[in-house]
Amino acid sequence: MKSYYNQLLENNKEWVAQNLERDPQFFERLSNGQQPPLLWIGCADSRVPANEIIGALPGEVFVHRNIANMVLHTDMSMLSVLDYAVNVLKVKHIIVCGHYGCGGVKAAMGNQHIGLIDNWIRHIKDVYRFHQDELNAIKDEKKRFDRFIEVNVMEQVLDLAKTSIVQAAWESKQELQIHGWVYDIKDGLINDLKVTIENDDQLAEVYQLDI
Ligand code: CO
């Protein structure tokens, strides 16, 4: 029996053959550059593969993933991805996609000490604190967990809008919408939270930068 590892390399060869059969110029065209219309900020969870769940091909989605799809304004990796996507690739849409059953968000609801990751999870706990009145009022734990995942996505959408990168793009009249979604692992469907933001008027005044 082939090892799992070797199988991956065989799968790759098969995938190449399938793509070339469908479109002989597929890789040649992609090698000339990318112009994705979309930046995806999602969870690192293996069950939420960005391209697959929206039926997107290679070249369509610029992707950043981390635990619980967080937008931290001190995260140089996230900021670099955002800057490149907005200022060089000129994406028109950014989607923050959380997912029900998110382990990172679940951990943020509890008090367990896990390790270094506690420091990452702390940012999600801050989201809980912002929304604690609403969340604490939900007695059913599963419903409270689901809602926490939704408000976490909403906060990350706002955190993107608070960045100087996004506000400068809006100031220069660049078309850029930020959307919030929650993917349901149980049925594969996306819940559009309808929190799309496309200018800084939707931010609290203290975050609106004079650019
Ligand atoms: Co997750």
Side-chain angles (χ1 to χ4, degrees), residues 62-145:
F62 203 62
V63 175
H64 181 76
R65 291 170 71 180
N66 60 38
I67 289 169
N69 39 271
M70 299 301 286
V71 174
L72 308 188
H73 66 278
T74 51
D75 177 354
M76 191 53 73
S77 174
M78 184 282 294
L79 289 172
S80 302
V81 167
L82 179 66
D83 183 46
Y84 191 74
V86 171
N87 290 321
V88 180
L89 299 173
K90 310 269 186 206
V91 298
K92 292 188 163 49
H93 300 272
I94 305 175
I95 292 169
V96 177
C97 186
H99 66 100
Y100 294 115
C102 184
V105 177
K106 181 86 186 168
M109 276 177 82
N111 300 93
Q112 197 193 347
H113 159 61
I114 305 168
L116 178 134
I117 195 176
D118 297 345
N119 299 285
W120 185 262
I121 301 291
R122 235 241 19 224
H123 295 287
I124 318 172
K125 287 180 181 288
D126 290 343
V127 173
Y128 194 100
R129 187 166 56 82
F130 293 149
H131 295 272
Q132 62 184 350
D133 292 346
E134 180 189 351
L135 293 171
N136 286 340
I138 304 171
K139 293 296 163 233
D140 182 277
E141 198 180 319
K142 166 79 170 62
K143 288 193 178 120
R144 188 163 74 241
F145 181 27

